[in-house]
Amino acid sequence: MLIQPNKHWHWIFDNNKGVMTLELGKDMLFVSKLCKKRCVQHAQEDSPFTAEHTQLYYQFLEHLEAFSWSDPIKVQICLNAVASAQFLKPLMPQSWFFKSIAQAQQSQLELGELAVLQSEHSQARCVVVERSEQTYTLMTIEDGLVLDERKALAQFEAIKVMQDRVIPLKQLLQNQYRLAQTG
């Protein structure tokens, strides 16, 4: 069963652990993967889980409905995505880790949509947590996106890339389905 946001939820920055947390009620605490060095300054102040946060939570959740992940996994993805969308410091694009994907008439992904990033070393599914006209900020939902010989992204870490480096997951799945039908 999925947990539902309520007026008692509030964000607390845990200075001992150095991460953003969300108090969900008495004796229930969600610990995000968003660390102090990646948080905006105001994230270190306690703040309520607002109506905007609730809207984002349900928007992220809507895009995960088609997948057979367990409810706790979906909630973990959504809450980490909300934390990143609201409290992540602005990032500089790091598109050089990924090849440009030549896509004719690729529509812009929505906040919460799933996409794939593919480096020379690995690939991982990600969720869009921020978008602009030319870039996406993506949060990995799988562990170990290897960017190069020295750098990898852990699960729930974010990276900003140019839009032409991103493969929409729904497009990838449709292509695989068509290939299976003709194969």
Side-chain angles (χ1 to χ4, degrees):
M1 182 170 145
L2 292 168
I3 58 174
Q4 306 299 316
N6 66 54
K7 65 181 180 182
H8 302 293
W9 286 18
H10 65 276
W11 297 103
I12 301 170
F13 189 83
D14 186 327
N15 284 310
N16 294 330
K17 294 179 183 170
V19 293
M20 195 69 179
T21 65
L22 179 63
E23 189 169 285
L24 305 171
K26 189 176 181 182
D27 301 325
M28 283 185 60
L29 186 70
F30 171 77
V31 180
S32 81
K33 299 287 185 167
L34 193 57
C35 65
K36 184 175 184 173
K37 74 176 188 173
R38 308 271 298 200
C39 284
V40 292
Q41 186 65 36
H42 73 270
Q44 296 178 38
E45 302 165 9
D46 291 3
S47 61
F49 195 85
T50 66
E52 180 184 357
H53 300 162
T54 299
Q55 179 182 0
L56 281 171
Y57 175 82
Y58 286 117
Q59 187 172 356
F60 290 130
L61 193 57
E62 180 181 321
H63 287 288
L64 297 176
E65 283 179 358
F67 299 92
S68 60
W69 294 315
S70 68
D71 287 349
I73 296 292
K74 288 179 181 179
V75 168
Q76 185 179 28
I77 292 168
C78 290
L79 291 178
N80 274 294
V82 171
S84 289
Q86 293 300 303
F87 301 113
L88 184 67
K89 279 183 183 175
L91 301 173
M92 293 300 296
Q94 296 184 330
S95 300
W96 60 85
F97 291 116
F98 311 99
K99 292 180 185 169
S100 179
I101 310 294
Q103 299 284 327
Q105 299 175 316
Q106 180 174 319
S107 61
Q108 192 175 54
L109 294 172
E110 294 179 23
L111 202 62
E113 278 195 77
L114 298 184
V116 174
L117 280 176
Q118 188 168 4
S119 71
E120 286 185 24
H121 306 278
S122 67
Q123 70 177 23
R125 290 174 290 188
C126 305
V127 62
V128 177
V129 295
E130 181 183 89
R131 66 182 191 154
S132 70
E133 281 188 36
Q134 298 178 351
T135 62
Y136 293 121
T137 300
L138 301 163
M139 182 192 77
T140 60
I141 56 176
E142 297 174 303
D143 197 20
L145 174 58
V146 179
L147 302 175
D148 65 18
E149 296 80 21
R150 296 169 298 179
K151 185 170 174 135
L153 292 180
Q155 187 177 32
F156 304 123
E157 269 194 86
I159 189 168
K160 184 180 231 175
V161 297
M162 300 303 290
Q163 289 183 4
D164 68 346
R165 304 312 202 269
V166 176
I167 306 166
L169 184 59
K170 64 183 174 188
Q171 178 186 332
L172 194 61
L173 294 174
Q174 287 170 350
N175 291 346
Q176 288 175 345
Y177 177 76
R178 278 191 222 116
L179 188 64
Q181 294 298 322
T182 60

